Amino acid sequence: MSRNSIQTYMKEHMPLYIFVSVLFVMGVIFGALMVNALSLEQREDLTRFLGSFVASLGEASELHPKETFVSLFGMHMKWIMLIWLLGISVIGLPIILVLDFLKGVMVGFTVGYLVGELSWKGMLFALVSVAPQNLVIIPTLIIVSVSGISFSLYMVRNRILQRRGALAEPFMSYSVLTLSMAAVLLGTSLFEAYVSPTLMQWVTPMIALTQS
């Protein structure tokens, strides 16, 4: 793709990128606020789960990078393929927006809980366990979401309302972009499975101390 093509693409899709990004940020804020709504019992359950997770990080025998990679990549692929399918279905367009909002909620809740329970140590843990991969995953999902929304809008304008315009080229572009983002998520899954546990092990001692 030439520089002019990229500039044209960004100019045409920038409003969608801004809208989806703002929706995601709203999800992050909502997820962080949800932490305050947790009951004492729910907080205790989450604390026990976090304690067990941190303890497992300290035991090399409990780490299974290959199984973790397969699980993570499978999860990412299900998410991205669902967006792809919703994009070609037209009626799934609103659900794409819901998925982006929910992804923001998940990230916001995770970081909000860690920081709320562990203060700056929770922030440190979030920086090594949540932030690195999500710096890639989030833009990737936003790109696929915008592409899916754009393709749906194209079909509505050119095939349903005006009944003209070829679908083959836009469909291929949409599918190739989705596959490209899947390849990016493949690399991200490898990082999550083989590198993230090591990063988390570096901060595990202080987290374990806090939990004890």
Side-chain angles (χ1 to χ4, degrees):
M1 184 179 289
S2 66
R3 181 177 179 181
N4 289 336
S5 298
I6 295 175
Q7 290 177 340
T8 301
Y9 173 84
M10 292 305 300
K11 184 177 180 180
E12 292 177 353
H13 295 83
M14 185 57 67
L16 280 177
Y17 275 106
I18 293 174
F19 178 75
V20 173
S21 298
V22 169
L23 186 66
F24 173 81
V25 172
M26 290 174 60
V28 172
I29 295 172
F30 184 79
L33 293 175
M34 282 178 59
V35 176
N36 297 324
L38 292 174
S39 66
L40 180 60
E41 182 179 355
Q42 290 171 325
R43 285 179 177 274
E44 290 176 346
D45 289 340
L46 286 173
T47 300
R48 282 194 292 269
F49 174 79
L50 177 61
S52 299
F53 177 72
V54 170
S56 68
L57 288 173
E59 301 177 12
S61 60
E62 295 294 326
L63 302 179
H64 305 284
K66 184 177 180 179
E67 289 81 356
T68 302
F69 164 73
V70 172
S71 175
L72 289 171
F73 183 60
M75 179 186 66
H76 293 324
M77 283 303 298
K78 288 176 184 177
W79 196 281
I80 204 173
M81 291 309 297
L82 177 58
I83 293 176
W84 181 80
L85 287 172
L86 292 170
I88 64 176
S89 71
V90 179
I91 59 174
L93 190 154
I95 304 178
I96 295 177
L97 300 176
V98 172
L99 289 176
D100 292 326
F101 180 80
L102 289 177
K103 182 62 177 179
V105 171
M106 292 165 59
V107 173
F109 181 85
T110 302
V111 175
Y113 171 75
L114 289 173
V115 175
E117 289 296 309
L118 303 175
S119 186
W120 68 269
K121 294 180 180 180
M123 176 61 73
L124 177 62
F125 192 71
L127 285 175
V128 299
S129 64
V130 180
Q133 59 267 27
N134 276 291
L135 288 175
V136 177
I137 294 173
I138 293 168
T140 298
L141 293 179
I142 290 177
I143 290 171
V144 175
S145 297
V146 169
S147 182
I149 294 169
S150 178
F151 183 74
S152 291
L153 294 176
Y154 175 85
M155 287 198 294
V156 170
R157 287 194 305 263
N158 296 277
R159 300 296 296 178
I160 298 177
L161 298 181
Q162 300 178 12
R163 297 188 180 280
R164 63 180 177 81
L167 279 179
E169 185 176 347
F171 176 77
M172 285 300 299
S173 298
Y174 175 39
S175 300
V176 169
L177 178 62
T178 302
L179 288 175
S180 300
M181 295 301 100
V184 173
L185 292 179
L186 172 65
T188 305
S189 300
L190 286 170
F191 177 88
E192 288 184 89
Y194 290 92
V195 180
S196 286
T198 301
L199 296 177
M200 287 186 282
Q201 283 177 329
W202 288 349
V203 299
T204 290
M206 66 177 65
I207 303 298
L209 180 62
T210 303
Q211 293 293 319
S212 61

